[in-house]
Amino acid sequence: MRLFVTRRLPQRVMERARDMGADLHDSDEVLDADALRAALRDYDAILCTIGDRFDADLFATDVRTKLLANFGVGYNHIDVEAARAAGVTVTNTPGVLTDATADLAMTLMLMVLRRAGEGERMVRAGDWSGWTPTQMLGRGVTGRTLGIVGMGRIGQAMAARAHHGFGMEIVYYNRSAKDLPFPARRLDTVEAVAAGSDVVALHVPAGPETRHIFGAHAIASMRPEGVLVNTARGDVLDETALIAALQEGRIGGAGLDVYENEPTVPNALRALENVVLLPHLGSATLEVREAMGMMALDNVAAHVEGRDLPNPV
Ligand code: 8YV
């Protein structure tokens, strides 16, 4: 069984992969289409991750690979239908990054409402001339309404934190109703969630059905002080419409961990004070990244041993 790992992963994961006989691309450099096509031709299993674009045309030629074990819960960089048609199964790493990602969404919400990014920039720049009673007044969190778009694992973890930790009211949009362990009101449309929330947090997976699910209309429905938080994927949000709303002062602010064209972050966003911008840190703790890697390798091991795959998508 020939296994290929497309990117440098935490050391423990690399060691296990090496013990499994893997060839490692031990680098942060993202492989291009030709390199991925060659991997599909030469390897039985590939451990891949975000940035590795497995578009449909890659599956059109000579494919030896039977398993794409994705490091990450989101797999919108893989054309899963085309993979399936070529006999390639895709697995992902759900669950292990839920808390970490919800923690990061909370971080963004708190930073925007309490103007933490602005404050930090001011102190670092040496521009803080001292405390004043009216300096950099933000907004409190307790008692405000949080709107969740996508009440899956991460949406629920975010809502639970907001409800139990901060006394927030929860409303949500989800395709199906959920039996939830905290009080929450399901609304019919994304726009209704936008209109009924002080903070909207996006937690839907990316894919053709959710592209720009939070679009210009939803953004226009937000409250004048409303804050948008996105830790899901850049393309579930209409970034251009968001920038326009922020520039025109139609909404209160935004906290973003993901972007439509990563790693490009539009200058227009970087120029705005009421926006907190993070570099896709959702699952970025060592223990979570190790757990993701081990889970991806568990799927490889199951494939090798002919067992049911633990995490097929
Ligand atoms: C990952 C993520 O770090 O798992 C996901 O879908 O967004 C992040 O937690 C990254 O995308 C690697 O797959």
Side-chain angles (χ1 to χ4, degrees):
M1 206 283 305
R2 297 198 69 205
L3 168 64
F4 181 62
V5 176
T6 64
R7 208 80 61 79
R8 176 174 300 145
L9 301 173
Q11 198 183 334
R12 281 185 55 225
V13 182
M14 292 304 247
E15 281 165 10
R16 182 174 167 204
R18 201 173 283 120
D19 289 347
M20 292 167 79
D23 286 339
L24 310 174
H25 180 234
D26 190 0
S27 164
D28 294 329
E29 173 212 3
V30 178
L31 295 174
D32 63 16
D34 286 341
L36 296 180
R37 197 176 285 112
L40 285 170
R41 185 192 61 214
D42 296 339
Y43 289 90
D44 301 290
I46 301 173
L47 193 161
C48 60
T49 191
I50 190 169
D52 300 335
R53 292 195 47 143
F54 284 94
D55 293 333
D57 61 299
L58 260 63
F59 298 99
T61 44
D62 190 12
V63 176
R64 166 174 172 168
T65 300
K66 290 279 171 256
L67 175 68
L68 276 184
N70 186 53
F71 174 92
V73 67
Y75 48 84
N76 59 316
H77 50 288
I78 302 171
D79 190 321
V80 176
E81 287 313 313
R84 195 168 287 140
V88 183
T89 304
V90 179
T91 60
N92 69 343
T93 62
V96 289
L97 45 73
T98 299
D99 287 331
T101 308
D103 289 347
L104 201 84
M106 285 301 296
T107 304
L108 286 171
M109 176 176 78
L110 293 168
M111 285 184 75
V112 176
L113 286 172
R114 297 302 306 274
R115 302 177 64 176
E118 282 176 77
E120 223 251 355
R121 283 192 289 279
M122 185 176 81
V123 172
R124 276 186 191 276
D127 289 341
W128 188 37
S129 51
W131 186 89
T132 81
T134 57
Q135 185 180 60
M136 221 171 255
L137 303 183
R139 281 169 291 143
V141 181
T142 307
R144 293 191 190 274
T145 299
L146 172 65
I148 301 279
V149 177
M151 198 51 114
R153 292 185 201 83
I154 300 171
Q156 289 184 40
M158 173 67 170
R161 281 160 173 70
H163 169 71
H164 295 296
F166 294 86
M168 295 183 83
E169 306 270 326
I170 310 294
V171 298
Y172 71 102
Y173 172 82
N174 199 67
R175 274 184 310 186
S176 54
K178 292 274 179 177
D179 189 14
L180 299 167
F182 46 77
R185 247 174 340 115
R186 181 172 169 229
L187 303 178
D188 287 340
T189 61
V190 167
E191 286 73 20
V193 169
S197 308
D198 300 300
V199 178
V200 179
L202 306 182
H203 296 290
V204 280
E209 286 172 17
T210 57
R211 190 181 142 69
H212 286 189
I213 189 174
F214 210 81
H217 193 219
I219 292 165
S221 306
M222 287 176 69
R223 296 177 176 177
E225 299 265 274
V227 167
L228 184 71
V229 170
N230 189 10
T231 56
R233 280 291 182 273
D235 54 356
V236 305
L237 169 68
D238 185 339
E239 203 169 83
T240 306
L242 176 73
I243 291 169
L246 287 162
Q247 286 175 333
E248 291 159 23
R250 285 189 273 118
I251 65 172
L256 305 176
D257 189 42
V258 288
Y259 308 89
E260 281 204 66
N261 296 304
E262 291 181 21
T264 302
V265 178
N267 285 337
L269 278 176
R270 292 164 52 195
L272 289 162
E273 280 293 347
N274 55 347
V275 173
V276 176
L277 303 168
L278 296 180
H280 202 142
L281 292 179
S283 63
T285 70
L286 178 59
E287 63 268 31
V288 169
R289 290 282 165 85
E290 283 181 347
M292 290 163 65
M294 293 304 172
M295 201 171 199
L297 289 174
D298 287 346
N299 281 278
V300 175
H303 171 71
V304 172
E305 292 158 22
R307 290 184 279 114
D308 285 348
L309 299 176
N311 310 103
V313 306

